[in-house]
Amino acid sequence: FELCYSDIPNILNQSLHNTIPASESVKFTLAKSNLAIAQYYHKINNLDSVLCYLNKAKTLLSSAGRIESQAYENLNHQLAIYYQNTGNENLYEEYIEKARSMVERKLGKQHPEYANILRTKGNYYRRMGRFNLAELEFRDATEIYLNAEPQNSIYYISTIKNLGSLFNAIGNR
């Protein structure tokens, strides 16, 4: 019997529905596992599975009463990236704004999570050919990462690479 990582939430969900009522903490844990699986599917560009696991996470977070949690911000951020990748500009903007607003309210504009959202926006603007807006988002993210803890250095380096590729695309820096 071989168990696939992506089967674990389904097995847990089935056992919870068949045997015991799920506590809010169990639902929250399942939601976070669904978010992690969705992130994996983002990386391998399996967009159908991404949306499936994000919807499961959204249902679990809502039923666990965790719509103000950092996991819910992560959900909104991942939904924004999903809609960006599928070309749905309106839903991208709706979800990236929800994520940005939640992080700003809960963690502040100087938090690395806020910079992650700025980086996502910068990548979106670069793809859309809106280079001036992309540059502003990347520069703001770089500043936040530069002032953050050392564990965020990988994001700082990645954002510098984003700026470099942007300048290369513009061809004037």
Side-chain angles (χ1 to χ4, degrees), residues 1 28 143 172:
F1 174 68
F28 186 60
E143 188 68 29
N172 66 350

mmCIF file of all heavy atoms in Angstrom, residues 1 28 143 172:
data_model
loop_
_atom_site.group_PDB
_atom_site.id
_atom_site.type_symbol
_atom_site.label_atom_id
_atom_site.label_comp_id
_atom_site.label_asym_id
_atom_site.label_seq_id
_atom_site.Cartn_x
_atom_site.Cartn_y
_atom_site.Cartn_z
ATOM 1 N N PHE A 1 0.854 -1.182 0.000
ATOM 2 C CA PHE A 1 0.000 0.000 0.000
ATOM 3 C C PHE A 1 0.894 1.237 0.000
ATOM 4 O O PHE A 1 1.645 1.479 0.923
ATOM 5 C CB PHE A 1 -0.894 -0.038 1.238
ATOM 6 C CG PHE A 1 -1.734 1.193 1.441
ATOM 7 C CD1 PHE A 1 -2.770 1.483 0.558
ATOM 8 C CD2 PHE A 1 -1.503 2.056 2.483
ATOM 9 C CE1 PHE A 1 -3.545 2.604 0.752
ATOM 10 C CE2 PHE A 1 -2.274 3.173 2.681
ATOM 11 C CZ PHE A 1 -3.315 3.445 1.807
ATOM 12 N N PHE A 28 -8.487 23.417 11.063
ATOM 13 C CA PHE A 28 -7.433 24.384 10.768
ATOM 14 C C PHE A 28 -6.169 23.681 10.278
ATOM 15 O O PHE A 28 -5.553 24.098 9.306
ATOM 16 C CB PHE A 28 -7.140 25.226 12.026
ATOM 17 C CG PHE A 28 -6.169 26.345 11.797
ATOM 18 C CD1 PHE A 28 -6.435 27.346 10.876
ATOM 19 C CD2 PHE A 28 -4.999 26.416 12.523
ATOM 20 C CE1 PHE A 28 -5.548 28.391 10.671
ATOM 21 C CE2 PHE A 28 -4.098 27.453 12.338
ATOM 22 C CZ PHE A 28 -4.377 28.442 11.404
ATOM 23 N N GLU A 143 13.361 46.918 -0.079
ATOM 24 C CA GLU A 143 13.606 47.719 1.128
ATOM 25 C C GLU A 143 13.129 46.996 2.382
ATOM 26 O O GLU A 143 13.810 46.974 3.408
ATOM 27 C CB GLU A 143 12.922 49.083 0.995
ATOM 28 C CG GLU A 143 13.267 50.057 2.076
ATOM 29 C CD GLU A 143 14.712 50.517 2.033
ATOM 30 O OE1 GLU A 143 15.319 50.554 0.951
ATOM 31 O OE2 GLU A 143 15.244 50.846 3.115
ATOM 32 N N ASN A 172 17.060 49.688 -20.346
ATOM 33 C CA ASN A 172 17.645 51.010 -20.178
ATOM 34 C C ASN A 172 18.301 51.228 -18.822
ATOM 35 O O ASN A 172 18.384 52.349 -18.360
ATOM 36 C CB ASN A 172 16.580 52.086 -20.424
ATOM 37 C CG ASN A 172 15.477 52.074 -19.386
ATOM 38 O OD1 ASN A 172 15.393 51.170 -18.585
ATOM 39 N ND2 ASN A 172 14.630 53.082 -19.450
#
